Every structure is written in C-alpha cells, then in structure tokens.
Amino acid sequence: MNLTNKALLRDKGYIDGAWVDADSGETLEVTNPATDEVIAVVPKMGAAETRRAIEAARVAQKLWKRRPAKERSNILRKWFTLIMENQEDLAQIITDEMGKPLTEARGEIAYGASYIEWYAEEAKRVYGETIPAPSDDKRIVVMKQPIGVIASITPWNFPNAMITRKIAPALAVGCATLMKPAEQTPLSALALCELAEQAGLPKGLINCIIGDPVAIGGEMTANDTVRKVTFTGSTGVGRLLMKQSSDTIKKLGLELGGNAPFIVFDDADLDAAVEGAMISKYRNSGQTCVCANRLYVQEGVYDAFAEKLAAKVRELKVGNGLDDGVVQGPLIDMKAIEKVEDHVADALAKGGEIVCGGKRHALGKSFFEPTIIKNVTKEMKVAREETFGPVAPLFKFKDAEDVIEQANDTEFGLASYFYSKDMSNVFRVAEELEYGMVGVNTGLISNEAAPFGGVKQSGLGREGSKFGLDDYLELKYVCLSEI
Ligand SMILES: NC(=O)c1ccc[n+]([C@@H]2O[C@H](COP(=O)([O-])OP(=O)(O)OC[C@H]3O[C@@H](n4cnc5c(N)ncnc54)[C@H](O)[C@@H]3O)[C@@H](O)[C@H]2O)c1
Ligand SMILES: O=C[C@H](O)CS(=O)(=O)O
C-alpha cells in the first residue's frame, strides 16, 4: 500500500488511547480481494479486551458528557477536516481491503466524513422542552441526555461510512463508543481512530476491537455498562444481537438487509431510468444494502428498457479498483461469488434468460461479469433473497396495483425506487410502498441530511439527519414542585 501518510496504516487494536495486540497473541490476516495479497496482520481480540474497552469508555464518558457542546463540536469538526485532508490515502485503504473502485472509495470517504460534519453542528442543537404543567405550583422540564456507552458493529461493504454514521452522532451528544469492524476490513476503522486521536478526542471515547465477532459481540451485548448496541449488517446477525441484548434491555439500532424494488412505469423517462438503475444496481459491484435487487418494468416498455440497460452494462470495465477506468471491482470473497452463481443458476432453471454476463469473469478470483436476466418471476431466489452482487433481474408488470403488490411481497423494507412522471401516480406509489426509503426518479438516495433506515425486517431506528441524533439520547422528565 503506497500511502502518503504512513501513520494511517495501523495494525493493532485501539483501546483507551493505546495501540495494543490481542491478549492471546493471536492474529488475523487482511487480504486484498483483487489480488489475494496479504496487506496486513491484525490482532484477534476477544471478550477480555472488549471488557477493558467498555470500562475505559465508561470512565471517559463521565467527563465527555460534561464538556460544553461547542467543545465536542470543535473536536468533531477537526476530525472531519483531517479525514478530508487524508481522503486519497483513506480511499486507497478501502480499495485495498475490500476492492471497491478508487473513485467509489473516494466518494465513501467524503460521504462518511459528511456525517461527522453534520453532527459537529447538530451537537450544539440538542434542545430540551418545557411543558405547561397541570397545576400552577409545578413546572415540567424535559431534558435530553446522552445514553452513555454505546457499542457498534459494522460490515465490510462501507468500512468507513458505516462507522462514522454511528460514531459521529454518539460522540456529538456526549456518548463514549466501541467499534467492531468486519474482520475483512479493519484498516479503515483503525485509520479513523488515528485521525480522531490527532483531532484531540480524549482517550477512551473511541475504542476499536478487532477479532472474533462472536466473542466481542457477546461481551458487547451482555455487558450492562453498554446501554446501546448499534449494528449494520445482515438481518440474521441482527436478529441474534437483538436476542443477546434483551437480557440487559439495551437500546438497539439495526441497519439490516434489503431487497429493493426498482420500478419503471411506462410514462418514465427511460434514459433517466437506465441511469438510475446503473447506479442503484451496480454501485460497489451490487454490494450495498440499498442496491436495486428486483427491477420491475411495465410491459409496454420492457423490451426497450432491457435493450438500453444492456447497452450500458456491456460498457462496464471490470478489474482491480486501483486501475484507471475500472468501475466494477471484485466481490468480497468466493462465498459471495457462490451466492451470485446460485441465484443465476436458479433463475435460468426456472425460465430466466441471460441478456448479458451471467458467469465468473475471465479475471478469476472473485470477479463476476455484470449481469442482466430477463423473463424473471417471483418463484426465483432473486425475488426473495438479497443477491448482493452485480445481477439485474428484470420482472414484467401490468399496472400500479400489480407492481405494488409484487414490490411489497417481502419481509424486507429498506430502500425502494420508481420512475414515473405522473404526479398522482408518484404520490400514490410512494405512499403505498412499505419501505423506510423511497427514491422517486433517482437511484441514489443516501446522504447525511436524510433519515436512513428500514421498516419490517430491515431494521430499527434511523441514521443521519436530526432523527439520527435522537437515537443516542434519553429523555428525562423533571417535575419541579412548590413553585
Ligand atoms: N441497512 C444498512 O445500512 C446496511 C448497510 C450495509 C450492509 N448491510 C447488510 O449487511 C449484509 C452484508 O454485510 P456482511 O456480510 O458483513 O454482514 P454480516 O452480518 O455477516 O456482518 C456484519 C458485521 O457483523 C459481525 N458479526 C457477524 N456475526 C456476528 C456475531 N455472531 N456476533 C457479533 N457480530 C457478528 C461481522 O464481523 C461484521 O462486523 C447485507 O445483508 C447487507 O444488506 C446493511
Ligand atoms: O450498504 C450500505 C450503505 O448504507 C449504502 S449507502 O452508501 O449508505 O447508500
């Protein structure tokens, strides 16, 4: 890795302001999925290190919550500035450890930093309320106070932004934090800790435990000092963490799996719809929770849309994310490739037809050809499961009533998208879709100002916006009497 700022490449856990190895001395290798090269060796930590981090956070949080909001804000602002000054190096770390193209990795750094910038400002706007009391001798005061020590667990697909989307609001309101990044992508998390320390964040407020997810997660969910667990990842692991957290009645933030419908009505601007489908489906090689997972095209424009989309997909350059012009990197590992192959084979066995792609790329390793399948039906796995790869299954539909029923026929409810120019149709469909987020005439909806999150089995809570701040606050009602 050819970094300008070598200090960013950290390979130890970060606990109470110290860079430490695992108690056991055990380690994990970090590999570049585009080359299979080992790029770092990091500690394999467990419950004991997690306990020490929780205690460090508990002690640090008592002082941090008393710091004036403006001081917390200034330190977050400095962290934001340092991240943007180191954007190129941080982007290279992302591409090396998980494969996304450098252009997308640069975008993720700016996106992740935007949450720190946003919450640096929001830190100064945690307002309480007074409420007219039922009797003249009383006053009702409502305070908002930080939850305390929070623990975060994050996935590999956005190894920077999924962390800042949690840590920034938590620190802004006066919480102390632990993070457990995915074992595939610890380096981005450690680089964030390095820059937080340079920004002047006091020790103990941010702790990064690398290693055994079951042991670390087990301590985070069982330890009563941890008052909130915030998780981004698969719905299956989210269910498990929810169960484990119930013994100590923890607050939960869950950003889970998706199965996004992408709907094209026959009155849509087809070129705009194709552009939206390209970014919604093939961003991060289809490895985002809000990727279009099912594309529904009204029967009158089905063939025209399929033809236009295929022309764009065939232009996509697949390769090492560090190489010029590459817009599709490798999938995270061979397990991901096997899941994509299973979905493609299942669709073909049930009557689907390949329009383009459909198999492993000639580059080998975990590269897969950008794929479109047509004549897809609801009996196929691509209709019910999150593919998490560069495969666009095209379903046909008759009218709004038909497609709304198909789109809502899933246990997931994260993101959804549709293209239409008729305002009556726009309002009706947006109101009827059972999802936490709806993109209308766009395929890209994520930003720091908006409440990101899902309904049904896609999660609990919201991240980003003023709503994301509330997720790290407790309400306290103070009743003043004898006034
Ligand atoms: N809703 C969102 O914002 C969002 C964002 C990104 C990814 N995701 C979802 O995440 C999934 C892909 O990411 P993934 O494969 O890394 O998910 P994953 O659930 O396998 O892993 C996510 C994190 O959980 C940890 N983990 C795994 N098992 C654990 C356990 N038993 N105890 C504690 N921690 C454990 C992992 O180490 C990792 O840090 C997809 O389903 C995707 O939709 C959702
Ligand atoms: O996949 C997870 C991210 O939340 C996707 S996004 O960049 O926030 O849209």
CSV table of all heavy atoms in Angstrom, one decimal, residues 13-15 20-28 42-54 178-180 207-221 223:
chain,number,residue,atom,x,y,z
A,13,GLY,N,-5.2,-3.2,17.7
A,13,GLY,CA,-6.4,-2.6,18.2
A,13,GLY,C,-6.2,-1.3,19.0
A,13,GLY,O,-5.1,-1.0,19.3
A,14,TYR,N,-7.3,-0.6,19.2
A,14,TYR,CA,-7.1,0.8,19.8
A,14,TYR,C,-8.0,0.8,21.0
A,14,TYR,O,-9.3,0.9,20.9
A,14,TYR,CB,-7.5,1.9,18.8
A,14,TYR,CG,-7.3,3.3,19.3
A,14,TYR,CD1,-6.0,3.8,19.5
A,14,TYR,CD2,-8.4,4.1,19.6
A,14,TYR,CE1,-5.8,5.1,19.9
A,14,TYR,CE2,-8.2,5.4,20.0
A,14,TYR,CZ,-6.9,5.9,20.1
A,14,TYR,OH,-6.7,7.2,20.6
A,15,ILE,N,-7.4,0.7,22.2
A,15,ILE,CA,-8.2,0.6,23.5
A,15,ILE,C,-7.7,1.7,24.5
A,15,ILE,O,-6.5,1.7,24.8
A,15,ILE,CB,-8.2,-0.8,24.1
A,15,ILE,CG1,-8.8,-1.8,23.1
A,15,ILE,CG2,-8.9,-0.8,25.4
A,15,ILE,CD1,-8.8,-3.2,23.6
A,20,VAL,N,-2.8,-1.8,20.8
A,20,VAL,CA,-2.5,-3.0,21.6
A,20,VAL,C,-2.7,-4.2,20.7
A,20,VAL,O,-3.6,-4.3,19.8
A,20,VAL,CB,-3.3,-3.1,22.9
A,20,VAL,CG1,-2.9,-2.0,23.8
A,20,VAL,CG2,-4.8,-3.0,22.6
A,21,ASP,N,-1.9,-5.3,21.1
A,21,ASP,CA,-2.1,-6.6,20.5
A,21,ASP,C,-3.2,-7.4,21.3
A,21,ASP,O,-3.7,-6.9,22.3
A,21,ASP,CB,-0.8,-7.4,20.6
A,21,ASP,CG,0.3,-6.8,19.6
A,21,ASP,OD1,-0.1,-6.5,18.5
A,21,ASP,OD2,1.4,-6.6,20.1
A,22,ALA,N,-3.6,-8.6,20.7
A,22,ALA,CA,-4.5,-9.4,21.4
A,22,ALA,C,-3.9,-10.0,22.7
A,22,ALA,O,-2.7,-10.3,22.6
A,22,ALA,CB,-5.0,-10.5,20.5
A,23,ASP,N,-4.6,-10.2,23.7
A,23,ASP,CA,-4.1,-10.8,24.9
A,23,ASP,C,-3.4,-12.2,24.6
A,23,ASP,O,-2.4,-12.6,25.2
A,23,ASP,CB,-5.2,-11.1,26.0
A,23,ASP,CG,-5.7,-9.7,26.5
A,23,ASP,OD1,-5.2,-8.7,26.1
A,23,ASP,OD2,-6.7,-9.8,27.3
A,24,SER,N,-4.1,-12.9,23.7
A,24,SER,CA,-3.6,-14.2,23.3
A,24,SER,C,-2.4,-14.2,22.4
A,24,SER,O,-1.8,-15.3,22.2
A,24,SER,CB,-4.8,-15.0,22.6
A,24,SER,OG,-5.0,-14.4,21.4
A,25,GLY,N,-2.2,-13.1,21.8
A,25,GLY,CA,-1.1,-13.0,20.8
A,25,GLY,C,-1.6,-13.5,19.4
A,25,GLY,O,-0.9,-13.5,18.4
A,26,GLU,N,-2.9,-14.0,19.3
A,26,GLU,CA,-3.4,-14.5,18.1
A,26,GLU,C,-3.6,-13.3,17.1
A,26,GLU,O,-3.8,-12.2,17.5
A,26,GLU,CB,-4.8,-15.2,18.3
A,26,GLU,CG,-4.7,-16.5,19.0
A,26,GLU,CD,-6.1,-17.2,19.0
A,26,GLU,OE1,-6.5,-17.8,18.1
A,26,GLU,OE2,-6.7,-17.0,20.1
A,27,THR,N,-3.5,-13.6,15.8
A,27,THR,CA,-3.7,-12.6,14.7
A,27,THR,C,-4.6,-13.1,13.6
A,27,THR,O,-4.9,-14.3,13.5
A,27,THR,CB,-2.3,-12.3,14.1
A,27,THR,OG1,-1.8,-13.5,13.6
A,27,THR,CG2,-1.4,-11.7,15.1
A,28,LEU,N,-5.0,-12.1,12.8
A,28,LEU,CA,-5.8,-12.3,11.6
A,28,LEU,C,-5.1,-11.7,10.4
A,28,LEU,O,-4.5,-10.6,10.6
A,28,LEU,CB,-7.2,-11.7,11.8
A,28,LEU,CG,-8.2,-12.3,12.7
A,28,LEU,CD1,-9.4,-11.3,12.9
A,28,LEU,CD2,-8.7,-13.6,12.2
A,42,VAL,N,-3.4,-8.3,11.8
A,42,VAL,CA,-4.0,-7.6,12.9
A,42,VAL,C,-4.4,-8.5,14.0
A,42,VAL,O,-4.4,-9.7,13.8
A,42,VAL,CB,-5.3,-6.8,12.4
A,42,VAL,CG1,-5.0,-5.8,11.4
A,42,VAL,CG2,-6.4,-7.8,11.9
A,43,PRO,N,-4.6,-8.0,15.3
A,43,PRO,CA,-4.8,-8.9,16.4
A,43,PRO,C,-6.2,-9.5,16.3
A,43,PRO,O,-7.2,-9.0,15.8
A,43,PRO,CB,-4.8,-7.9,17.6
A,43,PRO,CG,-5.0,-6.6,17.1
A,43,PRO,CD,-4.5,-6.6,15.7
A,44,LYS,N,-6.3,-10.7,16.9
A,44,LYS,CA,-7.6,-11.4,17.0
A,44,LYS,C,-8.0,-11.3,18.5
A,44,LYS,O,-7.6,-12.2,19.3
A,44,LYS,CB,-7.5,-12.9,16.6
A,44,LYS,CG,-8.8,-13.6,16.6
A,44,LYS,CD,-8.7,-15.0,16.1
A,44,LYS,CE,-10.1,-15.7,16.2
A,44,LYS,NZ,-10.0,-17.2,15.8
A,45,MET,N,-8.8,-10.3,18.8
A,45,MET,CA,-9.1,-10.0,20.2
A,45,MET,C,-10.4,-10.7,20.5
A,45,MET,O,-11.1,-11.3,19.7
A,45,MET,CB,-9.3,-8.5,20.4
A,45,MET,CG,-8.0,-7.7,20.2
A,45,MET,SD,-8.2,-5.9,20.3
A,45,MET,CE,-6.5,-5.4,20.7
A,46,GLY,N,-10.8,-10.6,21.8
A,46,GLY,CA,-12.0,-11.3,22.3
A,46,GLY,C,-12.7,-10.6,23.4
A,46,GLY,O,-12.6,-9.3,23.5
A,47,ALA,N,-13.3,-11.3,24.3
A,47,ALA,CA,-14.1,-10.7,25.4
A,47,ALA,C,-13.3,-9.9,26.4
A,47,ALA,O,-13.7,-8.8,26.8
A,47,ALA,CB,-14.9,-11.8,26.1
A,48,ALA,N,-12.1,-10.4,26.8
A,48,ALA,CA,-11.3,-9.7,27.8
A,48,ALA,C,-10.9,-8.3,27.3
A,48,ALA,O,-11.1,-7.3,28.1
A,48,ALA,CB,-10.1,-10.5,28.2
A,49,GLU,N,-10.5,-8.2,26.1
A,49,GLU,CA,-10.1,-6.8,25.5
A,49,GLU,C,-11.4,-5.9,25.4
A,49,GLU,O,-11.3,-4.7,25.7
A,49,GLU,CB,-9.5,-7.0,24.2
A,49,GLU,CG,-8.1,-7.7,24.2
A,49,GLU,CD,-8.3,-9.2,23.9
A,49,GLU,OE1,-9.3,-9.8,24.2
A,49,GLU,OE2,-7.3,-9.8,23.5
A,50,THR,N,-12.5,-6.6,25.1
A,50,THR,CA,-13.7,-5.8,25.0
A,50,THR,C,-14.2,-5.3,26.3
A,50,THR,O,-14.6,-4.1,26.4
A,50,THR,CB,-14.9,-6.7,24.4
A,50,THR,OG1,-14.4,-7.3,23.2
A,50,THR,CG2,-16.1,-5.9,24.1
A,51,ARG,N,-14.0,-6.1,27.4
A,51,ARG,CA,-14.4,-5.6,28.7
A,51,ARG,C,-13.5,-4.4,29.1
A,51,ARG,O,-14.0,-3.4,29.7
A,51,ARG,CB,-14.2,-6.7,29.8
A,51,ARG,CG,-15.4,-7.6,30.0
A,51,ARG,CD,-15.2,-8.5,31.2
A,51,ARG,NE,-14.2,-9.5,31.0
A,51,ARG,CZ,-14.4,-10.6,30.3
A,51,ARG,NH1,-15.5,-10.9,29.8
A,51,ARG,NH2,-13.4,-11.5,30.2
A,52,ARG,N,-12.2,-4.4,28.8
A,52,ARG,CA,-11.4,-3.3,29.1
A,52,ARG,C,-11.8,-2.1,28.4
A,52,ARG,O,-11.8,-0.9,28.9
A,52,ARG,CB,-9.9,-3.7,28.8
A,52,ARG,CG,-9.3,-4.7,29.8
A,52,ARG,CD,-7.8,-4.6,29.8
A,52,ARG,NE,-7.2,-5.0,28.5
A,52,ARG,CZ,-6.9,-6.2,28.1
A,52,ARG,NH1,-7.3,-7.2,28.8
A,52,ARG,NH2,-6.3,-6.4,27.0
A,53,ALA,N,-12.2,-2.2,27.1
A,53,ALA,CA,-12.6,-1.1,26.3
A,53,ALA,C,-13.9,-0.5,26.9
A,53,ALA,O,-14.0,0.7,26.9
A,53,ALA,CB,-12.8,-1.5,24.9
A,54,ILE,N,-14.8,-1.3,27.3
A,54,ILE,CA,-16.1,-0.9,27.9
A,54,ILE,C,-15.8,-0.1,29.2
A,54,ILE,O,-16.3,1.0,29.4
A,54,ILE,CB,-17.0,-2.0,28.2
A,54,ILE,CG1,-17.5,-2.7,26.9
A,54,ILE,CG2,-18.2,-1.6,29.1
A,54,ILE,CD1,-18.2,-4.0,27.1
A,178,LEU,N,-17.5,2.1,21.4
A,178,LEU,CA,-16.7,1.0,21.0
A,178,LEU,C,-17.1,0.7,19.5
A,178,LEU,O,-18.3,0.8,19.2
A,178,LEU,CB,-17.0,-0.3,21.8
A,178,LEU,CG,-16.4,-0.4,23.2
A,178,LEU,CD1,-17.2,0.4,24.2
A,178,LEU,CD2,-16.3,-1.8,23.7
A,179,MET,N,-16.1,0.2,18.7
A,179,MET,CA,-16.4,-0.2,17.4
A,179,MET,C,-15.8,-1.6,17.1
A,179,MET,O,-14.7,-1.9,17.6
A,179,MET,CB,-16.0,0.8,16.3
A,179,MET,CG,-14.5,1.0,16.3
A,179,MET,SD,-14.0,2.1,14.9
A,179,MET,CE,-14.3,3.7,15.6
A,180,LYS,N,-16.6,-2.5,16.5
A,180,LYS,CA,-16.0,-3.7,16.0
A,180,LYS,C,-16.3,-3.8,14.5
A,180,LYS,O,-17.4,-4.0,14.0
A,180,LYS,CB,-16.7,-4.9,16.6
A,180,LYS,CG,-15.9,-6.2,16.3
A,180,LYS,CD,-16.8,-7.5,16.2
A,180,LYS,CE,-17.6,-7.5,15.0
A,180,LYS,NZ,-16.7,-7.6,13.7
A,207,ASN,N,-13.0,3.3,20.8
A,207,ASN,CA,-12.2,2.1,21.0
A,207,ASN,C,-12.5,1.1,19.9
A,207,ASN,O,-13.7,0.9,19.6
A,207,ASN,CB,-12.6,1.5,22.4
A,207,ASN,CG,-12.4,2.4,23.6
A,207,ASN,OD1,-11.3,2.5,24.1
A,207,ASN,ND2,-13.4,3.1,24.0
A,208,CYS,N,-11.5,0.6,19.3
A,208,CYS,CA,-11.6,-0.3,18.1
A,208,CYS,C,-11.1,-1.7,18.5
A,208,CYS,O,-9.9,-1.9,18.7
A,208,CYS,CB,-10.9,0.2,16.9
A,208,CYS,SG,-11.2,-0.7,15.4
A,209,ILE,N,-12.0,-2.6,18.6
A,209,ILE,CA,-11.7,-4.0,19.0
A,209,ILE,C,-11.7,-4.9,17.7
A,209,ILE,O,-12.8,-5.0,17.1
A,209,ILE,CB,-12.6,-4.6,20.1
A,209,ILE,CG1,-12.6,-3.6,21.3
A,209,ILE,CG2,-12.1,-6.0,20.5
A,209,ILE,CD1,-13.8,-2.8,21.3
A,210,ILE,N,-10.6,-5.5,17.4
A,210,ILE,CA,-10.5,-6.3,16.1
A,210,ILE,C,-10.5,-7.7,16.6
A,210,ILE,O,-9.8,-8.1,17.5
A,210,ILE,CB,-9.2,-6.0,15.4
A,210,ILE,CG1,-8.9,-4.5,15.3
A,210,ILE,CG2,-9.1,-6.7,14.1
A,210,ILE,CD1,-9.8,-3.8,14.3
A,211,GLY,N,-11.2,-8.6,15.8
A,211,GLY,CA,-11.1,-10.0,16.1
A,211,GLY,C,-12.3,-10.9,16.0
A,211,GLY,O,-13.1,-10.7,15.1
A,212,ASP,N,-12.5,-11.7,17.0
A,212,ASP,CA,-13.5,-12.7,17.0
A,212,ASP,C,-14.9,-12.1,17.2
A,212,ASP,O,-15.2,-11.7,18.3
A,212,ASP,CB,-13.3,-13.8,18.1
A,212,ASP,CG,-14.4,-14.8,18.2
A,212,ASP,OD1,-15.4,-14.7,17.5
A,212,ASP,OD2,-14.2,-15.7,19.1
A,213,PRO,N,-15.7,-12.0,16.1
A,213,PRO,CA,-17.0,-11.3,16.2
A,213,PRO,C,-17.9,-11.9,17.3
A,213,PRO,O,-18.6,-11.2,18.0
A,213,PRO,CB,-17.6,-11.5,14.9
A,213,PRO,CG,-16.9,-12.5,14.2
A,213,PRO,CD,-15.6,-12.6,14.8
A,214,VAL,N,-17.9,-13.3,17.5
A,214,VAL,CA,-18.8,-13.9,18.4
A,214,VAL,C,-18.4,-13.5,19.8
A,214,VAL,O,-19.3,-13.1,20.7
A,214,VAL,CB,-18.9,-15.4,18.2
A,214,VAL,CG1,-19.7,-16.1,19.3
A,214,VAL,CG2,-19.4,-15.8,16.8
A,215,ALA,N,-17.1,-13.6,20.1
A,215,ALA,CA,-16.7,-13.3,21.5
A,215,ALA,C,-16.8,-11.8,21.8
A,215,ALA,O,-17.3,-11.4,22.9
A,215,ALA,CB,-15.2,-13.7,21.6
A,216,ILE,N,-16.5,-10.9,20.8
A,216,ILE,CA,-16.5,-9.5,21.1
A,216,ILE,C,-18.0,-9.0,21.1
A,216,ILE,O,-18.4,-8.3,22.1
A,216,ILE,CB,-15.8,-8.7,19.9
A,216,ILE,CG1,-14.3,-9.1,19.9
A,216,ILE,CG2,-16.0,-7.2,20.0
A,216,ILE,CD1,-13.6,-8.6,18.7
A,217,GLY,N,-18.8,-9.5,20.2
A,217,GLY,CA,-20.2,-9.2,20.2
A,217,GLY,C,-20.9,-9.7,21.4
A,217,GLY,O,-21.9,-9.1,22.0
A,218,GLY,N,-20.5,-10.9,21.9
A,218,GLY,CA,-21.1,-11.5,23.1
A,218,GLY,C,-20.9,-10.6,24.3
A,218,GLY,O,-21.8,-10.4,25.1
A,219,GLU,N,-19.7,-10.1,24.4
A,219,GLU,CA,-19.4,-9.2,25.6
A,219,GLU,C,-20.2,-7.9,25.4
A,219,GLU,O,-20.8,-7.3,26.4
A,219,GLU,CB,-17.9,-8.9,25.7
A,219,GLU,CG,-17.5,-8.0,26.9
A,219,GLU,CD,-17.9,-8.7,28.2
A,219,GLU,OE1,-17.9,-9.9,28.3
A,219,GLU,OE2,-18.2,-7.9,29.2
A,220,MET,N,-20.2,-7.3,24.2
A,220,MET,CA,-20.9,-6.0,24.0
A,220,MET,C,-22.4,-6.2,24.3
A,220,MET,O,-22.9,-5.3,24.9
A,220,MET,CB,-20.8,-5.6,22.5
A,220,MET,CG,-19.4,-5.1,22.1
A,220,MET,SD,-19.4,-4.8,20.3
A,220,MET,CE,-17.9,-3.8,20.2
A,221,THR,N,-23.0,-7.3,24.0
A,221,THR,CA,-24.4,-7.4,24.2
A,221,THR,C,-24.8,-7.9,25.6
A,221,THR,O,-25.9,-7.6,26.1
A,221,THR,CB,-25.0,-8.5,23.2
A,221,THR,OG1,-24.3,-9.7,23.3
A,221,THR,CG2,-25.0,-7.9,21.8
A,223,ASN,N,-22.7,-7.1,28.5
A,223,ASN,CA,-22.2,-6.2,29.5
A,223,ASN,C,-23.2,-5.1,29.8
A,223,ASN,O,-23.6,-4.3,28.9
A,223,ASN,CB,-20.9,-5.6,29.0
A,223,ASN,CG,-20.1,-4.9,30.1
A,223,ASN,OD1,-20.7,-4.1,30.8
A,223,ASN,ND2,-18.9,-5.3,30.3
